[in-house]
Amino acid sequence: MLVRVAAVAVVTIGLALRLYGIDWSLPNPTHLFSYHPDEILVVGAARNVDIPHGRLNPHFFNYGSLYIYLISLLLPPARAAFTNSLFTDYLAARLLAAVLGAATVYVTYLIGKRLGGAKIGLAAAAVMAIIPLHAVHSHYAAVDVPATFWVSLSLLGAVAAADSRKARWYVLSGAAAGFAAATKYNCGLVVLSILTAHTISCIRERTSQNLRARHYLGLPALALVCTAAAFLLGTPGVLIATNEFWRDFSYEMRHTSTGHGLVFVGTGSGWWYHLSHNLRYGLTLPLLVLSVCGVGYIAWRRRPAEIALLAFAVVYYGLIGAFEVRFMRYLIPILPVLAAAAGTLLSALASPPAEESARRRWPRITALVAGVLACVWSLVYTCAHLTLFVGLDPRDKALAWLVSNAKGESVGLTTVPWFYSPPVSIYNGGPQSEKAFRLYAGQSQFRLTVLGTDAARLRASKELPKYFVISDFEYGDALRLLSAGSVPPAAVEQVEAFADFWRALHARYKLAAVFSKNPSLGPLVLPKRALPPHDWMYPYPTIRIYQRRA
């Protein structure tokens, strides 16, 4: 009974962390779209779908369709309960992501319990609940957290199958792997866990006379059939809109292999970048050390269920490390494995052997205390970053300043208003709302001009906007490369062009205001000293407003 109460408490805390500030940047009278760049795509696709009436094509296949379908099913009751508006649609999509994030905490508990009992389950769930990367991204209507829920279910089936070759575990693991792929394509790799668990189990019992052919081939074939069926059920566009599916799927393949502008240029090895940069921000350094030690510990023990977990995590990490695009959210699907590994190690440190010498006791206790402190710091760090979702966003502060100081004046931008811009136009959806922005630009409180980053235009123009607005999403990576002192040859021209623009901007303009926000919890403030991972900055960009020199 006590264990169940503790598990419920951990999941409840996980849900609370994921719901706090869930209304951050939702559509309001100043902007039609949120400050997350992917939400306009996901929610827009869900609004294209009407499953009860057979309208299944979202006309968007950069991601799988399952999360989009689930959102579309939520929209009618959500609109009936609130209002038929973009605010309601975004909120419903985010609530679904938050609930699935909390559900992942519970599934992680079940995984840990299967690995070695309730103690491991509670430790693993507690780690999963407080991981900053997962808690923060559970606030977004994006596919990464929902896909990770299906990944964790598939891992649960694989762990159970490692100890009990029953068909239901193969069905669960295979179907969940298919739903994971139907949410985010590369998460289908989690099917490797059930195949690994099965292979190890068969090798261990290869001398048994009771093994039949169906044990070797039938059960993994069942898992693979369930994977394929679940994927087609969650993303039927493969069959009903084949051309659109391959158009968008091919785009994503090209995108991951060619890069994302300057964002990841000069970041070295993808595998090292994810470990040293993305996971350091996403877990905190102490929790990262604990998780890596946990992975080493379960790899050393070589238990079949734990090796099944690592099979997916290692292959998946190897894949995303080879990408040229290295968003930290790509790491979210392996977080249940890291949490289970950390929980297993913590449980082992908390369980002394029957006869333990003092020489061994104190190192074990020291390591346990360090692991617990790592979790405490991770919780504090998570709570500090969640404060970014409440109160005024830097973009809103910048807009208030512009309304007070520049209403009716000319304002320059590098691009059409997007997620990183103050909402100087209600059409802040970037390329998705560019047509509407240009059509209704006259309705803005400002006279808006999109100048790009052309230095020659800044120097030659006699009719420059009185104000110019830019965020570190636009200038951060170019300045990072310039300060590094070495720019990869392929990016030299682009970086030098931006450096020329930056000099021209400061020659023609003076800095009038800067708006930013730091993660904080009481007296603790975590200043943004360097450029954090791109998708970690969504709730706290730095906005700089310049005023034309006399």
Side-chain angles (χ1 to χ4, degrees):
M1 183 62 182
L2 186 61
V3 170
R4 291 182 181 179
V5 172
V8 170
V10 169
V11 174
T12 302
I13 292 170
L15 179 61
L17 292 174
R18 285 152 180 79
L19 290 177
Y20 183 74
I22 197 72
D23 61 344
W24 165 78
S25 86
L26 288 177
N28 64 36
T30 66
H31 56 89
L32 286 178
F33 309 105
S34 75
Y35 296 154
H36 188 290
D38 291 341
E39 289 187 327
I40 185 175
L41 301 170
V42 173
V43 176
R47 290 163 64 92
N48 290 334
V49 172
D50 186 353
I51 294 176
H53 294 91
R55 201 167 73 225
L56 302 179
N57 188 352
H59 302 289
F60 174 78
F61 296 99
N62 295 59
Y63 313 127
S65 302
L66 180 57
Y67 178 53
I68 291 168
Y69 284 169
L70 295 177
I71 295 171
S72 73
L73 292 173
L74 279 181
L75 295 186
R79 291 167 178 171
F82 297 100
T83 59
N84 187 353
S85 65
L86 278 172
F87 176 93
T88 299
D89 294 356
Y90 274 77
L91 180 60
R94 286 187 179 180
L95 287 173
L96 176 59
V99 169
L100 291 175
T104 305
V105 174
Y106 179 68
V107 177
T108 304
Y109 162 75
L110 296 178
I111 292 172
K113 188 177 179 182
R114 275 278 174 181
L115 290 177
K119 187 187 294 185
I120 293 178
L122 286 173
V127 172
M128 191 70 208
I130 63 173
I131 289 177
L133 175 56
H134 194 266
V136 167
H137 276 260
S138 291
H139 288 70
Y140 305 141
V143 298
D144 307 277
V145 168
T148 301
F149 166 73
W150 298 111
V151 165
S152 66
L153 269 184
S154 183
L155 293 173
L156 174 62
V159 167
D163 297 323
S164 173
R165 274 203 310 273
K166 294 181 179 179
R168 65 173 179 265
W169 299 125
Y170 289 80
V171 172
L172 171 64
S173 187
F179 287 140
T183 306
K184 187 173 183 179
Y185 300 124
N186 59 15
C187 286
L189 284 172
V190 73
V191 75
L192 292 173
S193 288
I194 185 64
L195 299 179
T196 301
H198 178 80
T199 301
I200 294 175
S201 180
C202 287
I203 291 173
R204 292 177 68 194
E205 301 182 24
R206 63 184 179 272
T207 60
S208 172
Q209 300 300 315
N210 296 324
L211 285 178
R212 299 176 182 176
R214 72 180 185 88
H215 290 112
Y216 287 114
L217 303 176
L219 291 175
L222 175 63
L224 292 173
V225 168
C226 290
T227 300
F231 174 71
L232 292 175
L233 181 64
T235 305
V238 176
L239 303 176
I240 65 175
T242 305
N243 289 338
E244 289 181 80
F245 172 82
W246 284 112
R247 176 200 66 198
D248 294 347
F249 184 83
S250 299
Y251 167 81
E252 286 298 320
M253 294 290 287
R254 291 193 302 272
H255 179 219
T256 56
S257 63
T258 56
H260 194 78
L262 293 177
V263 175
F264 304 107
V265 171
T267 56
S269 163
W271 301 288
W272 178 246
Y273 180 78
H274 280 308
L275 181 66
S276 64
H277 193 66
N278 286 339
L279 283 174
R280 179 167 56 86
Y281 274 92
L283 273 74
T284 72
L285 182 58
L287 189 59
L288 173 59
V289 171
L290 175 64
S291 299
V292 170
C293 290
V295 168
Y297 176 65
I298 65 175
W300 170 74
R301 296 205 307 182
R302 293 187 296 179
R303 296 183 178 179
E306 294 167 352
I307 295 301
L309 293 179
L310 294 180
F312 161 66
V314 170
V315 174
Y316 180 87
Y317 188 84
L319 175 67
I320 64 171
F323 292 165
E324 292 297 322
V325 178
R326 299 159 182 176
F327 290 120
M328 71 184 307
R329 62 180 179 266
Y330 291 176
L331 292 158
I332 294 176
I334 66 170
L335 294 182
V337 177
L338 297 182
T344 300
L345 179 58
L346 286 173
S347 178
L349 292 172
S351 305
E355 297 182 3
E356 182 181 34
S357 65
R359 184 178 179 182
R360 292 180 178 272
R361 183 184 306 119
W362 290 112
R364 177 185 60 79
I365 293 175
T366 301
L368 176 61
V369 171
V372 172
L373 290 177
C375 294
V376 171
W377 170 244
S378 182
L379 175 60
V380 170
Y381 184 88
T382 294
C383 292
H385 277 81
L386 294 183
T387 64
L388 297 171
F389 292 117
V390 297
L392 279 179
D393 185 273
R395 283 153 287 214
D396 299 325
K397 292 179 181 179
L399 176 64
W401 189 94
L402 288 168
V403 169
S404 297
N405 296 276
K407 193 170 184 178
E409 299 286 356
S410 55
V411 176
L413 305 166
T414 63
T415 69
V416 297
W418 205 1
F419 68 96
Y420 45 69
S421 314
V424 289
S425 165
I426 62 170
Y427 301 103
N428 66 317
Q432 306 302 317
S433 62
E434 181 173 2
K435 184 176 180 181
F437 162 73
R438 297 191 182 281
L439 186 62
Y440 298 105
Q443 296 181 5
S444 173
Q445 302 177 77
F446 316 99
R447 291 182 286 115
L448 301 173
T449 303
V450 177
L451 292 175
T453 55
D454 185 351
R457 186 176 179 184
L458 274 184
R459 292 191 177 99
S461 178
K462 297 180 180 179
E463 298 294 331
L464 288 175
K466 185 173 181 180
Y467 297 93
F468 194 91
V469 182
I470 191 169
S471 79
D472 54 355
F473 276 102
E474 299 158 276
Y475 66 75
D477 285 291
L479 297 189
R480 168 181 63 82
L481 289 166
L482 286 168
S483 64
S486 61
V487 180
V492 168
E493 183 177 350
Q494 188 177 356
V495 172
E496 288 182 347
F498 188 90
D500 194 25
F501 159 79
W502 196 245
R503 288 189 293 268
L505 175 66
H506 287 82
R508 300 298 303 270
Y509 287 85
K510 61 182 179 181
L511 186 63
V514 178
F515 299 94
S516 189
K517 191 175 184 179
N518 290 317
S520 61
L521 189 65
L524 174 67
V525 178
L526 305 174
K528 187 166 66 172
R529 293 192 176 92
L531 194 66
H534 186 273
D535 47 345
W536 192 242
M537 291 200 302
Y538 290 155
Y540 68 127
T542 298
I543 310 294
R544 299 167 70 98
I545 300 177
Y546 292 85
Q547 184 175 357
R548 189 180 63 227
R549 297 182 186 274

